[in-house]
Amino acid sequence: MLENPRSPRVRAVAKLTKRSARTETGLFLLEGPQAVREALTYLPDSIVELFATPNGWERHPDIRSKATDADIDVEFVTEYVLNAMADTVTPQGLVAVVRQSPTSVRDIFAANPRLVAICQEVRDPGNLGTIIRAADAAGADAVVLTGRTVDPYNPKVVRATTGSLFHLPVAIAGELSDVVERAHAAGLRILAADVKGDDLLAARAEGLLAEPTAWLFGNEARGLEDEALDLADRVLKLPIFGRAESLNLATAASVCLYESAFSQRAAAG
């Protein structure tokens, strides 16, 4: 059992809360039973190390079974050690070190997707994690990150995805223009979500949302720059029926993705 929270091994795990360490090692930190369970279920080969307190390990027989099936050994640690490793105050008895597995933009669009979320300059970890989770729930084919969007392996992003990071491809891209070009070549229409746009309900009535679509979402504070809007085929906004000044980015993105999912499935019969 690991007992020293200041040991080099524990410090190496704790460093993964920093982007520099994640970039250098190609690893990231996974905390809590739900996230560990999803990794064991969908990408068990990506797990490099699995740590647990004895009590945490006993509480989750399904995780024990999945780890055994995947031939992954657990390293027992004290509560003090687990807390030293984790980014959260209460990691709930389980922490894993996992290998990053981003998908290439080329592979995403070569797979003939029908619904993709593109995040341009999204900086808030909670927002990005929620968008990835919403894209997963809406049945989207992939999420693509462009510009200076937050690292998808940031611990706060990983927690906000609640395991969806292991369910659908996520690509870390460079220039938005290159991604748009690939999306167009794959037959997708680019719809930008922005308050300057046309009413989304009118676009729904036109049948626009039933087409293969890449939704483009921008920065929480600034929205999408004019250069990004110019790359879109259409700019749409969500109507506000109540007195709210606006919608949170992740909430708006969730509605847009689900509107496309509803329309595409209705059109497919």
Side-chain angles (χ1 to χ4, degrees):
M1 178 181 288
L2 284 175
E3 298 180 338
N4 182 2
R6 295 183 178 85
S7 71
R9 191 174 180 193
V10 174
R11 291 186 177 189
V13 175
K15 283 182 180 179
L16 295 176
T17 60
K18 305 297 183 184
R19 184 164 191 167
S20 58
R22 295 194 299 273
T23 300
E24 180 181 344
T25 62
L27 305 173
F28 70 103
L29 193 63
L30 205 58
E31 302 177 46
Q34 176 60 25
V36 171
R37 182 180 293 111
E38 295 304 300
L40 284 168
T41 301
Y42 293 96
L43 282 176
D45 290 345
S46 69
I47 297 177
V48 177
E49 294 180 291
L50 178 59
F51 302 95
T53 63
N55 286 339
W57 194 240
E58 286 301 314
R59 283 198 302 268
H60 302 285
D62 63 321
I63 291 178
R64 297 202 307 270
S65 176
K66 289 178 183 293
T68 299
D69 291 343
D71 198 25
I72 296 172
D73 294 328
V74 64
E75 180 85 37
F76 287 112
V77 299
T78 66
E79 292 282 356
Y80 289 115
V81 165
L82 201 75
N83 290 337
M85 289 177 170
D87 183 60
T88 57
V89 177
T90 54
Q92 301 178 63
L94 290 164
V95 162
V97 173
V98 184
R99 192 176 296 107
Q100 297 176 23
S101 55
T103 305
S104 73
V105 174
R106 179 181 59 189
D107 288 346
I108 282 175
F109 291 111
N112 298 315
R114 289 190 56 82
L115 184 58
V116 174
I118 302 173
C119 296
Q120 165 72 1
E121 303 282 342
V122 174
R123 305 308 298 275
D124 181 82
N127 276 335
L128 179 60
T130 302
I131 291 171
I132 293 172
R133 182 180 181 182
D136 178 23
D141 298 292
V143 177
V144 180
L145 315 182
T146 60
R148 294 176 298 168
T149 290
V150 63
D151 176 17
Y153 300 108
N154 177 301
K156 293 182 177 64
V157 177
V158 175
R159 288 198 298 275
T161 72
T162 64
S164 288
L165 188 63
F166 301 105
H167 299 168
L168 79 171
V170 176
I172 303 170
E175 294 296 324
L176 175 61
S177 58
D178 295 337
V179 174
V180 169
E181 183 178 351
R182 288 185 182 275
H184 277 151
L188 277 72
R189 185 186 294 268
I190 309 298
L191 299 182
D194 194 90
V195 294
K196 305 183 188 75
D198 303 324
D199 195 308
L200 182 140
L201 295 181
R204 181 213 283 168
E206 297 168 17
L208 181 66
L209 301 183
E211 299 177 7
T213 296
W215 273 103
L216 176 57
F217 306 114
N219 180 266
E220 294 86 351
R222 303 186 307 275
L224 289 162
E225 303 289 348
D226 290 340
E227 293 82 359
L229 292 173
D230 289 342
L231 294 171
D233 299 302
R234 189 83 171 266
V235 181
L236 300 176
K237 67 179 178 182
L238 290 174
I240 301 291
F241 299 118
R243 298 178 182 177
E245 182 268 334
S246 62
L247 283 171
N248 164 272
L249 170 64
T251 302
S254 300
V255 174
C256 291
L257 290 165
Y258 260 98
E259 282 285 346
S260 286
F262 292 149
S263 296
Q264 290 181 1
R265 278 160 177 72

